[in-house]
């Protein structure tokens, strides 16, 4: 009998009721820790698949978010724009979320044991709660910022000043800090059972709640706050992109192709936002239904938003891609390579019209547009940026 089979057999004996009044083993014994582990993982295949997914998400999140953050910090053109101030806040919260949760999951899976409730577990719960709340609020704030940009374009820079954006971002972090701190204080006041073996790989609300003697206030606070937060974020997002879509539909009939693109953009960001809400929504459901066995699934899903957010809100934007190219000198290499290829042709082929004079193919393809054409298309194109 191999080790996993022996562990599962021992867990079966451990889970059976005591006979002749014998005492159950202490929850600190190694085989009890193993029983808690195999009650979540179930088999070796699930173990190795979970480790591969968590490691992949963790490394991808670190590389992409750090790369994007460096590109924004080294770009003077983007550093002051309100959109990218919010994006930097989202990147920091995503990195904090990945660095807090993923190493703990990998350690538990490698050692084949669950966490013990300790000071580190409580600190992990505080930091993860802070990062997740900040990410949700920041994504909703980015939708609101796009609404102001699209519907109040003339007054955009007077509304979204750099000082106001710094205050707004600080308010988002302060809100998350207050919620995470209040929840952590309720854990301490509820007489937490430090040193006990938990039934999870990360200290999420359900795991922490099981380690509190008096958990009524902790449970009520989490249900009320998480429910209100999800509803408010959803309303802000739907209002913002709904108004932007209405603004795009007001364009005249010749621009129906841009309206189709606007619908696709709204659907894309709506899908990204629902994916951001999905782990929190699942955890909110498990606060009411304790029989849902979803700890391992939620532990993996919570690492997905930090991987998708930088792609959807950052690298998808052309300005950000250009900043990233300049960061590593890729744009310069491309220009040098392009010049070498063009220099092989004749001088006539390399001639380009002076600045301000359109090329022939631009005129023949309808590239010239009047000022009124651009004004009519402006509202439709803003939503696609």
């Amino acid at each position: 009998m191999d080790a996993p089979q022996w562990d599962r057999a021992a867990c079966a004996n451990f889970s059976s009721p005591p006979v002749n009044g014998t005492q159950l083993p202490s929850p600190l014994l190694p085989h009890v820790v193993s029983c808690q582990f195999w009650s979540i993982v179930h088999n070796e295949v699930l173990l190795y698949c979970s480790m591969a997914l968590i490691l992949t998400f963790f490394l991808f999140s670190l590389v992409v978010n750090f790369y994007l953050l460096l590109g924004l910090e080294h770009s003077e053109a983007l550093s002051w724009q309100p959109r990218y101030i919010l994006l930097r806040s989202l990147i920091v919260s995503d990195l904090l979320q990945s660095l807090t949760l993923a190493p703990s999951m990998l350690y538990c899976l490698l050692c084949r044991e669950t966490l013990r409730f300790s000071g580190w577990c409580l600190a992990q719960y505080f930091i993860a709660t802070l990062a997740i709340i900040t990410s949700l609020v920041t994504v909703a704030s980015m939708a609101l910022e796009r609404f102001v940009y699209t519907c109040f374009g003339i007054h955009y820079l007077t509304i979204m000043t750099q000082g106001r954006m710094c205050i707004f971002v600080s308010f988002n972090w302060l809100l998350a800090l207050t919620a995470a701190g209040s929840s952590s204080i309720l854990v301490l006041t509820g007489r937490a059972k430090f040193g006990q073996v938990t039934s999870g790989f990360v200290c999420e609300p359900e795991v922490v709640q099981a380690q509190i003697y008096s958990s009524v206030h902790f449970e009520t606070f989490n249900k009320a706050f998480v429910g209100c937060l999800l509803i408010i974020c959803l309303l802000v997002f739907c209002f913002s992109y709904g108004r932007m879509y209405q603004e795009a539909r007001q364009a005249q009939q010749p621009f129906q192709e841009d309206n189709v693109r606007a619908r696709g953009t709204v659907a894309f960001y709506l899908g990204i936002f629902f994916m951001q809400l999905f782990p929190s929504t699942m955890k909110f459901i498990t606060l009411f239904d304790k029989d849902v066995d979803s700890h391992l699934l939620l532990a993996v899903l919570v690492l997905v938003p930090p991987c998708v957010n930088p792609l959807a809100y950052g690298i998808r934007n052309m300005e950000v891609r250009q900043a990233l190219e300049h960061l590593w000198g890729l744009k310069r290499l491309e220009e040098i390579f392009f010049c070498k290829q063009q220099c092989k042709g004749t001088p006539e082929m390399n001639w380009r019209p002076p600045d301000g004079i359109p090329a022939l193919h631009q005129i023949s393809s309808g590239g010239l547009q009047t000022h009124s054409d651009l004004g009519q298309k402006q509202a439709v194109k803003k939503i696609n940026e």
Side-chain angles (χ1 to χ4, degrees):
M1 184 181 294
D2 58 7
Q5 291 176 345
W6 185 90
D7 287 338
R8 284 189 286 272
C11 290
N13 295 330
F14 171 72
S15 61
S16 60
V19 181
N20 298 328
T22 57
Q23 295 291 332
L24 286 174
S26 169
L28 296 179
L29 293 178
H31 71 276
V32 178
V33 178
S34 180
C35 287
Q36 294 276 18
F37 177 84
W38 290 111
S39 66
I40 300 173
V41 179
H42 303 302
N43 55 66
E44 293 278 346
V45 176
L46 185 58
L47 170 64
Y48 292 125
C49 290
S50 301
M51 290 175 61
L53 282 176
I54 292 173
L55 184 60
T56 301
F57 290 154
F58 177 54
L59 294 179
F60 183 83
S61 173
L62 288 185
V63 172
V64 175
N65 279 289
F66 271 120
Y67 179 46
L68 183 58
L69 186 61
L70 287 175
L72 294 177
E73 290 296 330
H74 286 79
S75 175
E76 296 181 359
L78 302 182
S79 60
W80 61 272
Q81 296 187 26
R83 180 180 189 177
Y84 301 110
I85 294 176
L86 291 171
L87 181 58
R88 281 199 298 269
S89 176
L90 182 62
I91 293 172
V92 172
S93 62
D94 285 342
L95 285 173
L96 198 61
Q97 182 175 337
S98 296
L99 290 171
T100 304
L101 298 178
S104 174
M105 299 179 199
L106 291 173
Y107 174 81
C108 290
L109 292 174
L110 286 173
C111 298
R112 303 191 179 189
E113 63 181 27
T114 56
L115 285 176
R116 284 183 172 86
F117 191 71
S118 60
W120 155 246
C121 188
L122 185 59
Q124 183 192 65
Y125 171 74
F126 172 80
I127 298 173
T129 304
L130 172 67
I132 293 173
I133 293 175
T134 304
S135 296
L136 290 175
V137 176
T138 303
V139 169
S141 301
M142 294 176 75
L144 194 61
E145 181 271 336
R146 288 291 87 187
F147 160 71
V148 176
Y149 175 77
T150 303
C151 300
F152 302 95
I154 299 178
H155 307 287
Y156 174 74
L157 292 179
T158 58
I159 297 174
M160 312 293 284
T161 62
Q162 190 170 5
R164 290 176 180 174
M165 289 305 303
C166 292
I167 295 175
F168 189 68
V169 171
S170 301
F171 173 78
N172 290 345
W173 281 90
L174 184 61
L175 174 65
L177 185 65
T178 303
S182 301
S183 185
S184 301
I185 292 174
L186 290 175
V187 174
L188 296 176
T189 57
R191 294 182 300 156
K193 297 178 284 188
F194 288 100
Q196 298 291 320
V197 177
T198 67
S199 58
F201 306 137
V202 292
C203 287
E204 41 92 6
E206 187 179 356
V207 172
V208 174
Q209 182 179 330
Q211 307 302 319
I212 307 175
Y213 285 106
S214 178
S215 60
V216 177
H217 299 294
F218 176 81
E219 183 178 5
T220 304
F221 175 81
N222 282 337
K223 289 179 180 179
F225 181 81
V226 174
C228 293
L229 179 67
L230 293 177
I231 293 174
I232 292 174
C233 290
L234 185 61
L235 289 176
V236 169
F237 191 91
C238 292
F239 167 78
S240 300
Y241 275 95
R243 286 288 292 112
M244 283 188 284
Y245 179 65
Q246 290 177 359
E247 190 77 13
R249 284 187 61 87
Q250 293 177 1
Q252 296 194 5
Q253 193 67 24
F255 310 122
Q256 286 302 313
E257 290 185 1
D258 291 310
N259 282 331
V260 172
R261 186 184 174 193
R263 287 195 295 269
T265 302
V266 171
F268 171 78
Y269 282 110
L270 187 62
I272 295 296
F273 185 69
F274 280 139
M275 187 193 63
Q276 181 90 22
L277 289 180
F278 183 72
S280 300
T281 305
M282 285 291 296
K283 179 48 58 182
F284 181 67
I285 294 174
T286 58
L287 291 176
F288 293 91
D289 189 359
K290 301 295 190 301
D291 296 330
V292 178
D293 185 13
S294 58
H295 178 78
L296 185 59
L297 174 63
L298 290 176
V300 176
L301 287 179
V302 78
L303 296 177
V304 175
C307 298
V308 179
N309 286 337
L311 300 178
Y313 296 102
I315 299 179
R316 185 176 181 270
N317 186 274
M318 183 177 296
E319 293 179 342
V320 176
R321 290 199 301 270
Q322 292 175 351
L324 295 178
E325 289 175 354
H326 285 292
L327 175 63
W328 298 106
L330 298 179
K331 193 70 176 178
R332 179 60 180 168
L333 292 175
E334 181 181 352
E335 292 174 354
I336 294 175
F337 179 77
F338 181 78
C339 180
K340 289 182 179 180
Q341 293 293 330
Q342 290 293 326
C343 290
K344 294 181 181 179
T346 60
E348 291 80 5
M349 294 177 61
N350 296 328
W351 180 85
R352 294 183 180 181
D355 294 337
I357 302 178
L360 180 61
H361 69 87
Q362 292 176 319
I363 300 176
S364 61
S365 62
L368 288 180
Q369 297 175 329
T370 64
H371 180 72
S372 60
D373 292 335
L374 294 176
Q376 290 173 346
K377 276 193 172 184
Q378 184 178 14
V380 182
K381 286 188 175 181
K382 281 182 179 180
I383 194 175
N384 297 315
E385 293 183 354

